[in-house]
Amino acid sequence: QLQLQESGPGLVKPSETLSLTCTVSGGSISSSSYYWGWIRQPPGKGLEWIGSIYYSGSTYYNPSLKSRVTISVDTSKNQFSLKLSSVTAADTAVYYCARHLLGYSYGYFHYFDYWGQGTLVTVSS
Amino acid sequence: QSVLTQPPSASGTPGQRVTISCSGSSSNIGSNTVNWYQQLPGTAPKLLIYSNNQRPSGVPDRFSGSKSGTSASLAISGLQSEDEADYYCAAWDDSLNGQVVFGGGTKLTVL
């Protein structure tokens, strides 16, 4: 059974960089057809996609966050990571990592089928 | 403001059939498939419907999805108390080099 686990600091100061890692177990991050994504959810609000990465390093980012986001992958550790720079209180959220199937057949199809449990990151001084 | 539009709330009594709508545009729902996620309180979202109307293994057939033009719907028949949750639609959007867009979510209350 595929499992994903987020890890990283739960508290980040304003203007600093948020860094999280997602460790994948029970399967290979180098599986073809699958991207690996980050999604966040501010307290009491809806879901927001941050970006996704393929094991080769190919990425898609949310245009509204692109200037501050870097997603990377380490296939040797079966991990992928998120860095979000210049954070503010608006970046306070539960951050989820998830497996992301993304393909094209008469239109794009995609879904997140396996999710981590999520980790709350609070931006505060 | 979410790219996909959902009603903020919906409700029904046990046994009833409820539907949740999701409205988009030609660059997302009109061109690509729609997914639905269920989020129970305090838990991670769970994939409920993918590719407009497909259910992952283990999802009861009480849940069904449909798509027409630039809108999609999630239907829940035989409503149960454990269906009380937040429901989100999502699709790929072709604009700006491609991105995932979510609806704002619908809180379903079982009365």
Side-chain angles (χ1 to χ4, degrees):
Chain A
Q1 176 80 343
L2 192 74
Q3 293 186 321
L4 294 88
Q5 179 68 55
E6 306 90 350
S7 59
L11 181 64
V12 181
K13 289 182 168 55
S15 80
E16 295 189 344
T17 295
L18 178 160
S19 295
L20 295 174
T21 295
C22 182
T23 300
V24 179
S25 59
S28 174
I29 203 168
S30 300
S31 299
S32 60
S33 300
Y34 290 104
Y35 280 71
W36 302 88
W38 289 98
I39 304 99
R40 70 179 182 178
Q41 184 172 36
K45 296 188 178 181
L47 301 170
E48 180 180 36
W49 173 71
I50 300 170
S52 297
I53 190 166
Y54 197 58
Y55 74 90
S56 63
S58 174
T59 54
Y60 286 98
Y61 292 135
N62 184 325
S64 68
L65 298 171
K66 187 175 183 177
S67 64
R68 299 193 293 130
V69 172
T70 301
I71 298 176
S72 59
V73 63
D74 186 336
T75 55
S76 67
K77 294 182 178 179
N78 231 30
Q79 295 176 334
F80 62 107
S81 299
L82 167 70
K83 290 188 185 300
L84 180 66
S85 63
S86 305
V87 297
T88 69
D91 295 309
T92 294
V94 174
Y95 285 76
Y96 296 100
C97 60
R99 189 174 77 167
H100 187 189
L101 178 68
L102 174 62
Y104 187 89
S105 176
Y106 301 101
Y108 280 96
F109 60 90
H110 89 97
Y111 51 81
F112 300 101
D113 56 353
Y114 287 91
W115 294 65
Q117 65 185 24
T119 187
L120 174 64
V121 178
T122 302
V123 178
S124 174
S125 55
Chain B
Q1 191 82 354
S2 301
V3 174
L4 304 181
T5 301
Q6 298 179 235
S9 63
S11 63
T13 56
Q16 262 191 334
R17 181 178 188 271
V18 298
T19 61
I20 297 172
S21 62
C22 176
S23 177
S25 67
S26 59
S27 65
N28 42 67
I29 294 178
S31 306
N32 305 306
T33 62
V34 178
N35 311 313
W36 290 90
Y37 299 90
Q38 177 193 58
Q39 187 176 33
L40 298 171
T43 68
K46 168 190 168 184
L47 180 65
L48 199 62
I49 297 287
Y50 67 96
S51 295
N52 303 329
N53 55 17
Q54 302 299 301
R55 286 186 308 276
S57 174
V59 173
D61 60 6
R62 301 187 295 106
F63 295 91
S64 62
S66 63
K67 186 184 100 166
S68 178
T70 59
S71 294
S73 291
L74 172 70
I76 310 172
S77 60
L79 196 63
Q80 299 180 4
S81 57
E82 55 260 42
D83 299 332
E84 187 160 291
D86 294 324
Y87 293 85
Y88 295 90
C89 60
W92 185 261
D93 191 296
D94 295 332
S95 64
L96 300 173
N97 294 320
Q99 58 179 308
V100 175
V101 291
F102 283 99
T106 299
K107 181 173 182 55
L108 175 64
T109 301
V110 181
L111 302 170

